[in-house]
Amino acid sequence: MAIKQVSRAKKVKEAEIEAKDQRWHCRNRVTLVFGSNDVEELDTYTYTEDSLEFKTVEFHQAKSKAIEEILDNCIDEFYRGHVTEVKTTLKEDGKTVIIEDNGIGFPPNKAPMVYTEFRTGSKFKDQEVDSKGFLFRTLGQNGLGAAATCLTSDLFKVTIKHHNSKKEQTYTFEDGALKTRKTKPKPFKGHSGVKIELLLAKEVYKDNTINAELLRKRIIDLAYNNPGLKFTFNGESFVFKKGLYELSERMGGELAQLLGEDKFIYEGVNIKKKKYKALIDMNVSLVLDKRSEEREKFISFVNSTPTYDGGFHHDRVKRLFINHIKEKLERQAKKEKVTLADNDILTGVAFVIGVIMPNPRFESQTKRKLVRDKDLEKAFEDFMGKHMPKFIRKNKEFLEVIIERAKARQRFSALKEASKKGKKQKKQRVEKLLDANERKNRDRCTLFICEGDSAIGGLRSARNKLYQGGIALKGKPMNVTQATIKDVLNNQEFSDIMSSIGLVIGQRADETPLRYNKIVFLSDSDVDGGHINTLLTNFFFSFWPELFEMGAVQFAKAPLFEVITDKGPIYAESNGELESVKNRKDVKIREIQRNKGLGEMSPEAFKYVLSREEYTKITTDNIEDAKDMLHTCFGKDTQLRKDLLLDEEEFTPDPDAILKAKKTTGNVQDAVRNLASGTKSKKKKVAKKATKKAAKKVSKKAAKKKTSKKK
């Protein structure tokens, strides 16, 4: 299709075409060079007297960067081996900054070009190398920074003491270099170097006052990043020998540890197809606070520049750190049936990362975020692969904390799910429940959890139908300590018990009205019955310990003997009580019946048991000790049970002794174990005898197998 001709007037106003110099560009487009020219909130840290404080500060990116560009030039000279001291002064007006180093300076006649023209500097030679043949590492790349600072200043005064020429000369740039004055070159005494006095333009930066706290922070940062280089700020000196590791110590004290420091050498080819050699220095320290619930923190620098927005080095260190630990804990996590999340590993960890490399690439001139670099990627892979195994061996307790966090997280998630499911189950009808008939005063109702259907049959005929209910168990209930919450929810017996009472996992029992305010375990008076009672106790205590504080959980002792006398039945709960009945002269015994279980009890015996107002309450003075004990009895650690189940004749510790031992060990199990280990008991002899017997049995079985094979 042909383009249509547009009808226009005879004369049209054309766009004005003009060129703007670098000064205009800087002063009117300062955000392109130094970043935001507005005050923003920045989550960072500041230095106190002997520590540091993480906080949110008011941060002016452009103004801060304008000052930093001058400091960065000093560091570049330090990398070249020319600078040992940098002195910074903020005058009393809070606006004028003086920065001075003791480097070699540069030819004074180059000052107008260096400080007023873009893309001027010593960083553009592809093959410029240090004394060892490696590419120079610098903070600047584009030759914009110092010039942009000068062009956006009302005053920019440069005094150069050139080492080679032994001459000193001062250039004064006013109003963004519109006016330039210079002194005559003259010989100087003392050290060489460059001294800059500047006052930022109020017209450009709106408020040209310098934040003293943040400037001090930047100078201390530089001191940590450049070990051995002395910095002074308003008379306060900073020099550190161990570098960034000392920063981690300042942050975390004894919790700090050096992950590693290393060098990575690589080769490459530049645009002109010339080979070059390069070096990357890496330093990573950690602060491990196992008790903290805070998410991970990062303090990072690339060529001494703080990377507030993180970037590639953050991501690589974090990911490799996580991967190494997950790989180490893979088997244990599978055994514990937990899935490790990144936060399980990173919670409470603070990383301090330092990278020095040639030609780092950032997202912008502000240098707040590092972009991907393939050589740095390879460097960190080698670095973490080398240092993480040692870290893992050294921090076994930290690994245990990670597993516990994963367990707690999954438990919390399971509790939330359980709460949802429990609320649905709560409304479901329980077919096997022998319910109490009372509807209004449910707080007066008692639920008997019985051992077997036969016990329910006896309960049915003997109970107070208004206030007493019952539900039967099929054998021994589940050990909830070694089960997941999902397993508990899917267990039909526990599901029925929770629905009958009105209990919901993840919801406190004292915060919701219950259908039964008294729960009584009714089981046989034998070892199995005792085991059932403890398993039920473990179930209720694991999810609703407040029930025990309320005195709601009790157990009923069924009489072991029914003694038929001329004056009616007498019930004995033990052999000792039976002997007492036998010795009575006021009654004549006609028959003695021993009950093997609840199913063999007479209706009268059942009524006797159910007629009591109170049963034996299960209580504890110390919930934590109770948790420890249940963990010992029902947990996976069999050694804890072995230590607990000592022969009473061999070892019966005094309760006071246990309490004293607990103060040093931290828990009951370790206290008992320590006390037991100090006893000269027969246990060793008994163990030796048992071992010999077992060995004889094994050898006999082996001999029988051999003879049978021969036949």
Side-chain angles (χ1 to χ4, degrees):
M1 289 179 68
I3 298 175
K4 294 181 180 178
Q5 184 177 347
V6 182
S7 64
R8 297 186 178 92
K10 290 181 179 180
K11 288 186 177 181
V12 179
K13 187 177 180 181
E14 297 179 27
E16 188 177 339
I17 299 173
E18 58 182 332
K20 297 292 186 183
D21 60 12
Q22 292 174 353
R23 179 183 178 277
W24 184 95
H25 179 80
C26 265
R27 295 174 81 89
N28 291 275
R29 302 289 187 269
V30 70
T31 55
L32 297 177
V33 183
F34 291 148
S36 174
N37 197 22
D38 296 317
V39 177
E40 58 182 326
E41 288 188 345
L42 177 69
D43 291 327
T44 186
Y45 59 92
T46 57
Y47 293 100
T48 59
E49 187 175 349
D50 55 359
S51 184
L52 52 84
E53 179 185 3
F54 285 89
K55 63 180 184 179
T56 302
V57 298
E58 289 189 346
F59 182 65
H60 195 293
Q61 172 71 55
K63 191 164 55 176
S64 175
K65 201 66 188 174
I67 305 296
E68 286 177 19
E69 288 291 348
I70 309 304
L71 288 166
D72 290 352
N73 286 347
C74 301
I75 305 302
D76 286 345
E77 287 303 295
F78 170 69
Y79 288 163
R80 294 171 183 270
H82 300 318
V83 171
T84 61
E85 187 173 353
V86 179
K87 183 179 179 182
T88 304
T89 304
L90 178 62
K91 286 189 172 182
E92 290 182 1
D93 63 1
K95 300 176 180 180
T96 306
V97 181
I98 301 171
I99 299 172
E100 181 180 5
D101 67 42
N102 64 349
I104 61 174
F106 59 89
N109 64 335
K110 298 286 187 182
M113 182 172 62
V114 170
Y115 293 112
T116 63
E117 295 181 20
F118 286 172
R119 297 173 182 86
T120 301
S122 59
K123 306 174 179 77
F124 301 110
K125 291 183 179 179
D126 294 324
Q127 292 297 109
E128 192 175 14
V129 295
D130 60 19
S131 58
K132 295 181 180 179
F134 295 105
L135 290 180
F136 272 118
R137 288 87 62 87
T138 65
L139 276 71
Q141 288 181 286
N142 304 316
L144 303 180
T149 303
C150 177
L151 296 173
T152 57
S153 296
D154 284 340
L155 173 69
F156 194 89
K157 186 177 179 181
V158 184
T159 300
I160 303 165
K161 297 177 181 179
H162 189 216
H163 173 78
N164 291 337
S165 67
K166 305 298 180 184
K167 297 290 184 181
E168 174 186 339
Q169 193 171 5
T170 300
Y171 284 82
T172 303
F173 305 96
E174 297 177 356
D175 195 16
L178 276 183
K179 300 175 184 177
T180 303
R181 293 182 286 113
K182 64 179 180 178
T183 63
K184 290 182 179 180
K186 63 179 182 180
F188 67 89
K189 293 182 180 180
H191 67 80
S192 59
V194 178
K195 179 181 178 181
I196 294 175
E197 181 179 344
L198 63 93
L199 174 68
L200 296 178
K202 190 174 181 180
E203 179 190 5
V204 178
Y205 297 99
K206 302 174 186 176
D207 179 9
N208 60 354
T209 304
I210 305 301
N211 188 316
E213 185 182 39
L214 293 183
L215 180 56
R216 177 178 179 269
K217 171 192 175 299
R218 176 62 181 139
I219 290 165
I220 299 175
D221 281 346
L222 288 170
Y224 278 121
N225 275 273
N226 300 281
L229 178 58
K230 183 180 179 181
F231 287 85
T232 304
F233 176 68
N234 284 3
E236 192 178 5
S237 295
F238 308 99
V239 59
F240 305 104
K241 294 181 180 180
K242 299 179 184 177
L244 291 174
Y245 175 60
E246 286 190 66
L247 172 56
S248 66
E249 285 185 313
R250 188 169 185 165
M251 178 170 50
E254 294 180 355
L255 301 176
Q257 56 180 289
L258 179 67
L259 180 63
E261 49 187 348
D262 230 321
K263 300 181 184 295
F264 178 77
I265 300 172
Y266 67 95
E267 293 181 348
V269 180
N270 62 18
I271 301 172
K272 297 178 182 178
K273 296 183 179 179
K274 292 183 179 179
K275 291 183 179 179
Y276 63 81
K277 223 175 26 168
L279 179 69
I280 299 175
D281 288 334
M282 293 162 292
N283 185 300
V284 180
S285 296
L286 298 171
V287 176
L288 292 181
D289 189 350
K290 297 185 253 322
R291 296 181 180 179
S292 175
E293 296 296 325
E294 295 183 7
R295 63 170 300 162
E296 75 276 9
K297 292 187 181 77
F298 280 91
I299 297 176
S300 64
F301 306 89
V302 176
N303 291 11
S304 301
T305 299
T307 44
Y308 292 120
D309 297 335
F312 180 70
H313 52 324
H314 278 210
D315 299 338
R316 289 312 299 156
V317 170
K318 182 168 75 172
R319 182 44 51 195
L320 290 167
F321 183 80
I322 291 168
N323 289 349
H324 277 279
I325 289 177
K326 279 187 175 180
E327 186 179 348
K328 177 64 181 178
L329 293 176
E330 184 180 5
R331 183 179 294 179
Q332 190 177 351
K334 193 175 180 180
K335 184 181 176 182
E336 299 286 351
K337 296 180 180 180
V338 295
T339 304
L340 297 180
D342 291 357
N343 284 341
D344 298 331
I345 299 168
L346 296 175
T347 299
V349 181
F351 296 87
V352 181
I353 305 170
V355 177
I356 300 175
M357 63 182 294
N359 304 320
R361 293 185 297 122
F362 301 93
E363 277 194 347
S364 67
Q365 177 68 16
T366 61
K367 304 171 188 172
R368 287 178 57 158
K369 188 173 184 178
L370 186 71
V371 300
R372 185 179 181 274
D373 184 280
K374 65 177 184 178
D375 296 311
L376 183 61
E377 184 174 14
K378 181 66 170 64
F380 267 125
E381 284 176 1
D382 290 357
F383 178 91
M384 298 298 280
K386 179 181 178 181
H387 295 287
M388 279 302 294
K390 184 180 177 181
F391 169 84
I392 288 170
R393 288 195 301 272
K394 187 180 172 184
N395 294 277
K396 290 181 179 179
E397 286 185 9
F398 176 59
L399 301 183
E400 291 173 6
V401 168
I402 292 169
I403 293 293
E404 290 304 315
R405 283 175 184 161
K407 286 181 181 178
R409 177 179 49 77
Q410 283 194 190
R411 183 176 174 82
F412 179 75
S413 178
L415 284 172
K416 283 181 71 178
E417 272 307 306
S419 183
K420 291 180 183 176
K421 190 173 180 179
K423 287 175 182 177
K424 292 180 181 178
Q425 288 179 338
K426 197 173 177 180
K427 298 175 182 177
Q428 293 177 0
R429 184 175 174 273
V430 181
E431 292 183 6
K432 293 187 177 181
L433 173 64
L434 184 65
D435 204 2
N437 294 333
E438 175 63 37
R439 292 292 175 260
K440 293 182 180 180
N441 300 317
R442 294 296 301 192
D443 58 323
R444 296 177 62 186
C445 296
T446 301
L447 179 71
F448 291 90
I449 302 177
C450 304
E451 182 184 350
D453 291 333
S454 58
I456 279 289
L459 181 73
R460 188 186 299 275
S461 60
R463 69 178 180 133
N464 181 333
K465 294 181 180 180
L466 191 61
Y467 298 117
Q468 292 179 333
I471 192 168
L473 295 172
K474 284 186 177 180
K476 292 179 183 179
M478 176 190 292
N479 177 8
V480 297
T481 303
Q482 298 187 27
T484 65
I485 292 175
K486 189 178 179 181
D487 293 336
V488 176
L489 287 171
N490 291 334
N491 183 278
Q492 190 61 53
E493 287 186 320
F494 283 152
S495 178
D496 288 345
I497 289 170
M498 287 187 287
S499 298
S500 301
I501 301 170
L503 294 169
V504 176
I505 292 178
Q507 197 174 88
R508 287 182 61 88
D510 55 3
E511 292 177 355
T512 55
L514 302 178
R515 299 190 70 252
Y516 292 92
N517 271 26
K518 190 188 292 183
I519 304 155
V520 180
F521 307 154
L522 186 59
S523 57
D524 295 344
S525 299
D526 55 11
V527 175
D528 287 337
H531 194 195
I532 289 171
N533 288 343
T534 54
L535 286 166
L536 287 172
T537 301
N538 188 35
F539 165 64
F540 284 103
F541 196 87
S542 295
F543 300 109
W544 308 278
E546 59 275 7
L547 286 172
F548 295 81
E549 294 177 355
M550 295 158 57
V553 183
Q554 305 174 16
F555 71 90
K557 279 189 177 182
L560 190 61
F561 300 97
E562 293 185 44
V563 185
I564 311 301
T565 70
D566 56 343
K567 295 183 179 180
I570 299 174
Y571 304 101
E573 294 179 357
S574 64
N575 287 313
E577 287 186 15
L578 178 63
E579 289 301 318
S580 298
V581 175
K582 286 180 178 179
N583 294 329
R584 287 176 61 176
K585 295 179 179 180
D586 59 326
V587 294
K588 187 178 180 181
I589 298 175
R590 293 176 179 174
E591 184 184 350
I592 299 175
Q593 179 183 328
R594 190 182 189 283
N595 298 319
K596 293 181 180 179
L598 294 168
E600 294 183 359
M601 286 199 324
S602 65
E604 289 78 13
F606 248 113
K607 284 181 181 179
Y608 166 77
V609 173
L610 300 181
S611 63
R612 300 176 185 177
E613 292 185 5
E614 289 292 331
Y615 302 92
T616 304
K617 292 182 180 179
I618 305 173
T619 59
T620 177
D621 295 329
N622 190 308
I623 288 179
E624 292 304 315
D625 283 355
K627 285 180 180 177
D628 285 348
M629 185 57 70
L630 287 173
H631 175 72
T632 299
C633 295
F634 297 103
K636 293 181 180 180
D637 193 342
T638 57
Q639 186 59 46
L640 293 177
R641 283 192 290 281
K642 287 178 183 177
D643 294 339
L644 185 66
L645 299 174
L646 295 171
D647 189 350
E648 290 183 4
E649 294 180 4
E650 296 176 29
F651 177 62
T652 308
D654 183 64
D656 293 333
I658 295 176
L659 290 172
K660 284 181 182 178
K662 184 181 176 271
K663 288 180 181 178
T664 55
T665 60
N667 59 62
V668 173
Q669 301 98 304
D670 290 341
V672 174
R673 188 183 296 178
N674 289 354
L675 288 168
S677 63
T679 59
K680 294 180 182 178
S681 66
K682 309 169 196 171
K683 191 177 178 186
K684 291 180 182 178
K685 293 180 181 179
V686 172
K688 283 181 181 179
K689 286 181 181 179
T691 306
K692 285 181 181 179
K693 283 182 180 179
K696 285 180 180 179
K697 285 182 180 179
V698 171
S699 58
K700 282 181 180 179
K701 284 182 179 179
K704 283 181 180 179
K705 283 183 179 180
K706 283 183 180 179
T707 52
S708 61
K709 283 182 180 179
K710 285 179 180 179
K711 287 178 180 178

